[in-house]
Amino acid sequence: MKTVTLPGGETVPVLGQGTWKMAERRDRRAAEVAALRTGIDLGMTLIDTAEMYADGAAETLVGEAVAGIRDQVFIVSKAYPQNASRDRLRRACEASLKRLATDRIDLYLLHWRGSVPLAETVEAMEGLKASGHIRHWGVSNLDTDDMAELVTAGGTGCVADQILYNLTRRGPESDLLPWLTERGIAAMAYSPVEQSQLVRDERLAGIAARHGFTPAQVALAWVLRRDHMIAIPKAGKVEHARENRAAADLVFGNDDLATLDVAFPQPRRRRALEML
Ligand code: NAP
């Protein structure tokens, strides 16, 4: 599995696993845990979750999936913006740690920007790093202007920005992605198969058939064509986890990329970062 190097030198796999909508149904729980375990065994050892997902229950499910193999896994979790203040972030983080049944979160993100000043969140994140609650911190859903403000507010320790990015959401290519790359900050693409919309997209069928891959794999491999890019598809089924892992080995020719550029053109004008 290819890796991305975070500021500071640690490497993480380019392909991780998402958990939004997991732990919402009891009858799917065993399949979801099995899918995450399979993904980890196949090298997708970065797991993304959040205090928001299933009201904390997704973190509990992740804790269950990584029991006994915690040291092999890189856990990413996210705090609500209303919890991003000096006092509340520590409490939110400790509650996440408890649900995850672990003593540290590898990467802790501000889920999206709210009303707490960025400088205060930076200070709170750095405090959690100093006390060993978290190993790295980053943000999510911050566009270029917010990122510039974050750095000015003292946030030079930010290692990643988790954003909506896939074939149908190419807005970040105009300035956010180059901005992040220039500074060595990792981009983490969420909803890389557009919440399963791209799995059925006719425009991907030809390229998929030519390579002997599926449209979902083409969509994932397209996101991963960029350096310094991590993708975190969510798969609640073992067969989807396997399929997604194999996508990391798909290499496009220039003709494939040109075909995809025509089918999914980059927006002509700058677009504000979209979020789900
Ligand atoms: P996604 O990963 O684009 O799509 C997930 C959907 O695609 C699920 O229904 C899944 O089905 C299906 N799927 C996955 N792989 C497949 C395959 N190989 N073949 C067929 N279907 C497949 O969307 P997402 O869950 O929104 O995004 C991924 C992760 O990003 C989330 O889980 C979450 O961790 C994170 N996220 C973050 C934010 C943020 O604001 N920071 C927002 C959204 C998402 P099954 O489950 O049935 O396998």
Side-chain angles (χ1 to χ4, degrees):
M1 172 82 75
K2 271 194 333 185
T3 56
V4 163
T5 304
L6 300 177
E10 185 164 348
T11 56
V12 292
V14 291
L15 202 47
Q17 306 186 77
T19 62
W20 192 19
K21 311 268 168 67
M22 283 192 183
E24 290 184 355
R25 284 181 46 171
R26 196 182 287 240
D27 59 334
R28 291 194 184 150
R29 191 178 184 84
E32 290 167 350
V33 170
L36 288 174
R37 285 294 283 226
T38 300
I40 293 166
D41 288 347
L42 295 173
M44 296 189 289
T45 51
L46 182 151
I47 313 259
D48 178 74
T49 190
E51 62 173 337
M52 183 186 100
Y53 301 164
D55 238 346
E59 289 183 323
T60 308
L61 184 142
V62 170
E64 194 180 318
V66 306
I69 52 166
R70 169 66 185 95
D71 291 347
Q72 296 172 34
V73 178
F74 187 94
I75 296 181
V76 183
S77 194
K78 304 187 270 306
Y80 275 121
Q82 62 269 31
N83 283 341
S85 62
R86 209 169 283 114
D87 305 334
R88 293 182 68 149
L89 196 64
R90 183 161 294 261
R91 258 182 283 152
C93 182
E94 284 173 353
S96 286
L97 286 170
K98 203 164 170 200
R99 288 188 292 267
L100 287 159
T102 187
D103 60 351
R104 80 272 180 204
I105 290 170
D106 298 291
L107 172 58
Y108 199 36
L109 308 178
L110 168 65
H111 207 149
W112 64 89
R113 187 174 181 178
S115 57
V116 176
L118 289 174
E120 186 175 337
T121 302
V122 168
E123 195 192 311
M125 288 287 192
E126 291 292 349
L128 288 173
K129 215 171 117 177
S131 57
H133 287 63
I134 65 174
R135 297 180 52 245
H136 304 278
W137 69 268
V139 293
S140 179
N141 297 301
L142 260 63
D143 207 344
T144 320
D145 49 348
D146 291 318
M147 287 304 296
E149 205 182 314
L150 180 78
V151 170
T152 308
T156 47
C158 172
V159 304
D161 188 9
Q162 185 177 117
I163 55 166
L164 177 60
Y165 180 61
N166 63 46
L167 276 162
T168 66
R169 312 273 193 170
R170 298 187 62 173
E173 287 174 23
S174 62
D175 56 35
L176 179 57
L177 289 175
W179 192 97
L180 294 172
T181 304
E182 242 170 68
R183 287 155 185 83
I185 300 173
M188 196 179 283
Y190 71 72
S191 309
V193 296
E194 186 65 14
Q195 301 201 309
S196 86
Q197 295 302 311
L198 286 167
V199 168
R200 292 179 288 273
D201 197 296
E202 277 301 310
R203 292 170 287 180
L204 297 176
I207 291 175
R210 206 160 49 244
H211 287 278
F213 280 82
T214 64
Q217 290 172 316
V218 171
L220 279 177
W222 181 86
V223 169
L224 296 179
R225 83 201 183 290
R226 290 188 75 101
D227 286 338
H228 231 65
M229 173 69 71
I230 299 160
I232 47 167
K234 175 258 184 185
K237 301 190 178 81
V238 165
E239 62 270 28
H240 289 165
R242 285 189 195 288
E243 195 178 312
N244 293 347
R245 165 61 187 89
D249 300 329
L250 170 50
V251 181
F252 293 120
N254 287 337
D255 50 338
D256 297 322
L257 292 173
T259 306
L260 290 169
D261 276 339
V262 173
F264 300 89
Q266 213 184 322
R268 290 224 182 111
R269 289 205 200 113
R270 187 193 184 279
R271 239 186 227 171
L273 182 65
E274 299 170 278
M275 73 180 272
L276 291 180

